[in-house]
Amino acid sequence: MSLNLLGLNRSQFEALCADMGEKPFRARQMMRWMHQSGVSDFNAMTDVSRGFRERMGASAVVSAPQVLRDTTAPDGTRKWLFDVGTGNAIESVYIPEGDLEDDSAADESTGRRYRGTLCVSSQAGCALECSFCSTGRQGFNRNLTVAEIVGQLWHASRSLSTGLGIERPVTNVVMMGMGEPLANFDNVVTAMQLMLDDHAYGISRRRLTLSTSGLVPAIDRLREACPVALAVSLHAPNDELRNQLVPINRKYPIRELLAACVRYIEKAPRDFVTFEYVMLEGVNDSVEQARELVRTVKPVPCKINLIPFNPFPDSGYGRSAGPAVSAFRDVLLQAGLTATVRRTRGDSIAAACGQLAGRVQDKTRRVMRRMEEKRA
Ligand code: SAH
Ligand code: SF4
């Protein structure tokens, strides 16, 4: 099988060039062709010597996963379904914000008018079985390769820049698609290094966010290996409820998770952690639970992002009503916390948080187990 150059970070690419008797700058040159110009054909890399192009072409390819479906919602949200082989498919979602022509939508920190966020998947399925998550229900097949993770950004950048006619359509990346990114640690870190690299996508650390359900040792490793903005899926104010919603909590309870968040902030590009909290009607959305949440998160400088639950077939949960969400948020605000309610985007094409299901050939026999549980 040919080497896929989409999966190499800069140092790996430079080492490859050295092995082929070429200077390191050749790697940077080719990376810019691939990642910034979206070129996959070596012949189009016109400032690279023909001899080197031919040698590269004989042993390597630039290959992103094939697109199976490409859907755009009326609100501009766009979703791609990618084939990752052996019957598995993963999804990525692009969320544009602000008008291309509208000054009022300017981003304060950059002066940019337009923000385009790509939500990227890290695994085919997920092994962690959070009860309210469609990906979690599907079971787990495998970790995505670096090329499959970066390939989502490669493809999105390439097709969006043609479609929208702007040079950098993706300004922000969130590792919040299918899968638990910290359970695919090495590949996700290498992929994020490419996202950050000025010779590839040049996304700043503050604009690259990784969301985790709370794998404590991996949060510590991430702090050393690649500190990007961190979001943690909290979803409950106490261990008893979190054990039910996010089963990994039984292994890494809230107290340990929050301590890891505090350690993370020392190295993080932002001086807070974002806590995600999906609002499930009658489960975790009462005013008492909001007060308890205020006490729980006290040790951690944080922002809380309340996510309206996005339904999927047979989820067994309901979305909290608007007034309940507002009342919950107000308790947090009155306690001096920063809290926002995430606007639901792309739900008409099942592209909203937690709706990404792709297609997963479960290797964990989860579906069988569920059926047996139901019968018992
Ligand atoms: N595995 C990681 C990242 C992917 S999920 C994690 O769990 O953090 C991204 C976010 O969507 C998480 O906060 C997750 O809890 C949330 N989510 C999952 N299912 C959801 C649903 N049905 N509605 C709304 N948010 C959901
Ligand atoms: Fe996995 Fe995240 Fe879904 Fe939990 S919420 S099952 S960790 S993808």
Side-chain angles (χ1 to χ4, degrees):
M1 217 169 63
S2 301
L3 176 67
N4 190 350
L5 298 182
L6 271 193
L8 300 186
N9 66 14
R10 175 132 53 107
S11 56
Q12 292 166 334
F13 209 143
E14 287 176 350
L16 174 70
C17 288
D19 283 348
M20 295 173 77
E22 293 283 340
K23 294 259 162 31
F25 84 89
R26 290 284 174 221
R28 300 195 287 271
Q29 217 173 12
M30 287 185 95
M31 282 174 71
R32 289 197 295 270
W33 277 113
M34 285 159 40
H35 299 290
Q36 296 181 354
S37 309
V39 166
S40 55
D41 176 2
F42 295 112
N43 287 323
M45 303 179 180
T46 44
D47 56 359
V48 180
S49 75
R50 181 189 290 245
F52 184 42
R53 274 188 270 156
E54 280 173 1
R55 281 194 295 144
M56 222 18 139
S59 57
V61 292
V62 178
S63 168
Q66 288 297 309
V67 178
L68 292 173
R69 207 165 52 220
D70 176 347
T71 327
T72 305
D75 67 7
T77 305
R78 187 162 166 189
K79 180 167 89 164
W80 293 273
L81 181 72
F82 293 101
D83 183 8
V84 291
T86 56
N88 292 287
I90 51 139
E91 293 179 310
S92 318
V93 179
Y94 179 70
I95 306 136
E97 282 167 292
D99 197 310
L100 282 172
E101 310 297 332
D102 179 8
D103 270 328
S104 62
D107 181 317
E108 283 168 30
S109 57
T110 60
R112 243 191 234 126
R113 291 172 196 170
Y114 187 78
R115 173 155 112 160
T117 303
L118 188 71
C119 179
V120 170
S121 293
S122 57
Q123 299 183 305
C126 184
L128 297 184
E129 304 195 54
C130 299
S131 58
F132 51 85
C133 172
S134 170
T135 306
R137 285 286 175 91
Q138 300 258 318
F140 175 69
N141 186 277
R142 68 170 172 87
N143 283 331
L144 298 185
T145 64
V146 179
E148 286 166 339
I149 299 168
V150 170
Q152 298 168 59
L153 176 56
W154 182 83
H155 179 82
S157 307
R158 193 175 187 236
S159 45
L160 288 162
S161 54
T162 325
L164 300 173
I166 50 176
E167 210 176 302
R168 289 199 43 200
V170 180
T171 59
N172 297 52
V173 170
V174 291
M175 297 301 302
M176 290 189 188
M178 296 169 66
E180 166 51 53
L182 293 184
N184 182 11
F185 190 90
D186 292 341
N187 291 349
V188 164
V189 165
T190 305
M192 292 198 306
Q193 287 165 341
L194 272 165
M195 295 172 186
L196 297 169
D197 197 309
D198 282 337
H199 297 282
Y201 300 92
I203 291 179
S204 84
R205 279 182 199 282
R206 301 162 59 84
R207 292 169 176 277
L208 173 53
T209 303
L210 181 143
S211 173
T212 178
S213 57
L215 303 188
V216 167
I219 293 175
D220 286 325
R221 285 176 68 203
L222 185 70
R223 182 191 61 192
E224 302 306 322
C226 191
V228 294
L230 184 69
V232 170
S233 296
L234 195 57
H235 306 318
N238 58 57
D239 283 323
E240 196 191 347
L241 182 57
R242 193 162 190 270
N243 285 344
Q244 290 170 30
L245 301 177
V246 186
I248 194 69
N249 193 69
R250 294 176 205 150
K251 197 162 176 194
Y252 305 115
I254 292 178
R255 217 164 63 94
E256 289 177 29
L257 176 58
L258 299 186
C261 291
V262 171
R263 291 193 294 275
Y264 192 87
I265 290 173
E266 290 165 20
K267 293 266 177 82
R270 294 180 179 270
D271 54 7
F272 62 89
V273 164
T274 302
F275 288 125
E276 294 158 288
Y277 194 103
V278 60
M279 299 292 289
L280 304 165
E281 184 167 40
V283 175
N284 65 354
D285 64 348
S286 74
V287 161
E288 290 72 40
Q289 284 162 322
R291 293 199 188 105
E292 192 181 359
L293 182 63
V294 169
R295 294 193 294 274
T296 301
V297 300
K298 204 160 183 202
V300 189
C302 66
K303 289 189 178 173
I304 299 179
N305 199 199
L306 302 174
I307 314 174
F309 170 67
N310 293 308
F312 55 90
D314 298 323
S315 76
Y317 290 106
R319 179 184 285 189
S320 303
V325 176
S326 304
F328 195 96
R329 182 201 53 202
D330 290 346
V331 171
L332 304 179
L333 293 177
Q334 276 154 23
L337 290 167
T338 307
T340 49
V341 180
R342 187 177 294 173
R343 204 151 58 95
T344 298
R345 299 285 302 267
D347 49 353
S348 66
I349 56 169
C353 304
Q355 288 182 319
L356 301 186
R359 199 171 62 214
V360 178
Q361 302 292 317
D362 180 40
K363 278 192 173 170
T364 63
R365 297 176 47 82
R366 183 174 309 168
V367 179
M368 291 291 289
R369 211 164 62 229
R370 262 184 203 288
M371 280 166 62
E372 280 158 18
E373 278 165 13
K374 263 194 184 153
R375 270 201 298 269

